[in-house]
């Protein structure tokens, strides 16, 4: 059973910082690329950041230079450090990974429940 549980969201003023965490279980965490996406009300989910098992990272242009993704394989946790937050960063943030799942016949995208980030102006 693969589970991803996000935490760390909350209300923060513009310019502030927040660190999100996603704890994974039921998978070999260290071998998987981990992703962060976000979804604002009434909008489509958008990619935010990813980190591969080798530590390579990629960011959406909208967050590059402000956000940083990292992982702690010993803790089965991926983090998203968010600095210089803007009101437009307000969204539910989701952690996800594609995991081989035999009962589903192949790779399956698992998503956490999401954590709300609200940036006030």
């Amino acid at each position: 059973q693969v589970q991803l549980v996000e935490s760390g969201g909350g209300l923060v003023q513009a310019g502030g910082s927040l660190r999100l965490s996603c704890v994974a279980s039921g998978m070999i965490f260290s071998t998987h690329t981990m992703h962060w996406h976000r979804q604002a009300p009434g909008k489509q989910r958008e990619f935010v950041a990813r980190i591969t098992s080798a530590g390579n990272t990629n960011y959406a242009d909208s967050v590059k230079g402000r956000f940083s993704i990292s992982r702690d394989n010993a803790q089965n946790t991926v983090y998203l450090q968010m600095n210089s937050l803007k009101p437009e960063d307000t969204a539910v943030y989701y952690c996800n990974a594609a995991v081989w799942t035999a009962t589903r016949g192949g790779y399956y995208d698992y998503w956490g429940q999401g954590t709300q980030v609200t940036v006030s102006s």
Side-chain angles (χ1 to χ4, degrees), residues 52-113:
T52 71
S53 61
N56 301 122
T57 60
N58 185 250
Y59 301 91
D61 287 341
S62 59
V63 307
K64 192 173 297 183
R66 300 187 299 120
F67 290 12
S68 179
I69 188 171
S70 62
R71 65 193 300 158
D72 184 343
N73 290 338
Q75 298 293 324
N76 283 6
T77 302
V78 61
Y79 301 96
L80 185 67
Q81 178 67 47
M82 305 185 295
N83 300 321
S84 302
L85 283 162
K86 304 174 181 179
E88 49 263 46
D89 295 319
T90 296
V92 177
Y93 283 71
Y94 298 93
C95 170
N96 92 285
V99 181
W100 178 262
T101 308
T103 56
R104 296 182 181 270
Y107 283 97
Y108 181 81
D109 287 320
Y110 289 88
W111 297 85
Q113 83 288 349

Side-chain angles (χ1 to χ4, degrees), residues 24-53:
S25 61
M27 59 183 281
I28 304 175
F29 179 81
S30 62
T31 68
H32 286 78
T33 294
M34 302 299 299
H35 309 78
W36 286 97
H37 289 73
R38 66 187 182 186
Q39 187 167 23
K43 297 183 179 180
Q44 294 185 351
R45 187 182 300 165
E46 65 174 343
F47 166 80
V48 175
R50 70 171 180 242
I51 183 167
T52 71
S53 61

